[in-house]
Amino acid sequence: MSTHDHTQDRSVDQEQALHGLDTPTGTTDSEQMIVDHMGLVGHIVRETMSRVPSHVNRDDLHSAGLTALVKAAHAFEADRGVPFTRYAASRVRGAILDELRQIDWASRSVRRRGRDLDQARTRLAATLGRVPDNAEVAASLGLTLAEVESNDGDVARANVLSLQGGSETPYEEMLVSTSPSPEAAVEHQERLDYLAEAIEELPERLQVVVREYFLAERPMAEIAETLGVTESRVSQIRAEALVLLRDALNSALDPELVTPHPRPDGCAAQRRAAYFQAVAARHAATRQPARVTARLSGTA
């Protein structure tokens, strides 16, 4: 398929997605999420373009990313506890990566041979104490000089996809930025919001210790005197509060990281679960007024 045909097909896919043809159950909320996160697509495309050869078409990547954003908005399920920004960023990156793979014409054999050559050069450099020439590399692998040079040329011409730098390095870790990405900033703010709400839902004594020790920066001895307990007890309360706060945030944002309770059917486990639910309910309640205000102002 030619590049022109590929671009046309991508444009058709994008237009269908934008009009909800791929997901006829599109809602006003999903449309608003798309509008709110178009900047995220642009950011990921910009970062990607800084890592690929100049002949890669920016519009193709943007089109693929936008299509992925639309599909992500329609498929998003808020009750899964994953912020939409994180979910959408993952889908957009994946779509852009797929787009790059489609326009990268190098065969797997060329890529595999290229890795073999790189490994041979590394081994020889360690042995010789200098950069080996192509003839030495060819001899070490049982290849001809022409085969080595030909493969190097093929890889150089087709080096569209250097984003992952190897199967063990996540794509997103290769994107260099001097400032937090949009999704990172949103995730950070969401964690701060959850933390504030989790503190508000702590039992009174735990809440006092957290506020006085971490926010007011009072000495532990003063807090102990205020509560009428020993410093050792304040330290225990602080540790208990930190575990609850950590697990509350994980319960909302990273459920797989929540530490299982040793006695899941016990009263302590039930109280902990009730605390998690209270934090989630407070978070939902604080978001509702903002959503209503946005709708009344015509921005949602």
Side-chain angles (χ1 to χ4, degrees):
M1 177 183 294
S2 67
T3 302
H4 177 72
D5 291 339
H6 178 72
T7 303
Q8 281 189 325
D9 288 347
R10 176 65 67 185
S11 298
V12 170
D13 289 344
Q14 177 184 336
E15 181 145 357
Q16 288 178 337
L18 285 171
H19 286 83
L21 297 181
D22 292 339
T23 50
T25 58
T27 65
T28 300
D29 285 345
S30 65
E31 292 170 358
Q32 186 62 43
M33 286 191 292
I34 294 168
V35 173
D36 291 344
H37 290 80
M38 283 183 176
L40 173 62
V41 175
H43 171 80
I44 295 175
V45 169
R46 283 193 300 274
E47 293 289 3
T48 302
M49 289 300 297
S50 70
R51 302 288 299 174
V52 298
S54 59
H55 65 264
V56 175
N57 189 299
R58 176 187 292 268
D59 291 341
D60 285 348
L61 299 190
H62 191 271
S63 179
L66 184 57
T67 300
L69 173 64
V70 173
K71 293 180 178 179
H74 290 310
F76 181 63
E77 297 179 14
D79 57 3
R80 290 184 177 271
V82 178
F84 177 71
T85 301
R86 183 188 305 176
Y87 174 71
S90 176
R91 292 285 297 266
V92 169
R93 287 192 180 102
I96 289 176
L97 199 57
D98 288 342
E99 179 72 13
L100 288 169
R101 287 194 179 105
Q102 290 183 43
I103 62 177
D104 181 10
W105 57 266
S107 67
R108 291 186 179 181
S109 62
V110 170
R111 294 294 186 194
R112 186 165 52 250
R113 177 66 62 80
R115 288 193 294 271
D116 291 343
L117 292 175
D118 288 341
Q119 291 170 3
R121 288 187 172 102
T122 300
R123 287 196 306 271
L124 289 171
T127 302
L128 301 173
R130 58 175 174 78
V131 178
D133 58 34
N134 284 343
E136 291 168 329
V137 173
S140 71
L141 293 175
L143 303 174
T144 65
L145 177 59
E147 286 176 322
V148 171
E149 293 176 343
S150 175
N151 197 88
D152 284 347
D154 288 344
V155 172
R157 285 189 297 273
N159 194 20
V160 174
L161 192 55
S162 60
L163 290 169
Q164 285 182 309
S167 58
E168 298 175 358
T169 304
Y171 161 82
E172 56 270 21
E173 292 181 8
M174 299 300 293
L175 296 180
V176 179
S177 177
T178 57
S179 60
S181 63
E183 67 268 26
V186 171
E187 287 180 22
H188 178 67
Q189 184 59 53
E190 186 152 19
R191 284 189 176 277
L192 291 179
D193 292 343
Y194 267 113
L195 178 59
E197 290 149 3
I199 292 174
E200 291 292 334
E201 290 296 334
L202 282 172
E204 182 178 359
R205 181 163 288 198
L206 274 66
Q207 186 178 141
V208 169
V209 170
V210 168
R211 290 187 179 281
E212 295 298 313
Y213 185 82
F214 291 103
L215 303 182
E217 299 184 348
R218 290 182 61 195
M220 198 171 291
E222 290 185 10
I223 301 173
E225 185 177 353
T226 299
L227 295 178
V229 298
T230 64
E231 287 188 47
S232 175
R233 179 56 185 149
V234 171
S235 179
Q236 292 174 350
I237 293 173
R238 181 189 62 182
E240 181 183 350
L242 290 177
V243 170
L244 275 176
L245 291 172
R246 180 199 66 197
D247 286 346
L249 264 65
N250 285 339
S251 177
L253 301 173
D254 298 293
E256 69 278 3
L257 299 180
V258 176
T259 305
H261 197 280
R263 299 179 60 186
D265 297 326
C267 294
Q270 293 176 8
R271 287 195 299 270
R272 189 177 76 149
Y275 170 66
F276 294 165
Q277 292 173 0
V279 173
R282 177 180 284 269
H283 184 77
T286 57
R287 292 298 166 272
Q288 190 61 32
R291 180 178 289 274
V292 171
T293 300
R295 287 189 180 279
L296 291 177
S297 64
T299 60

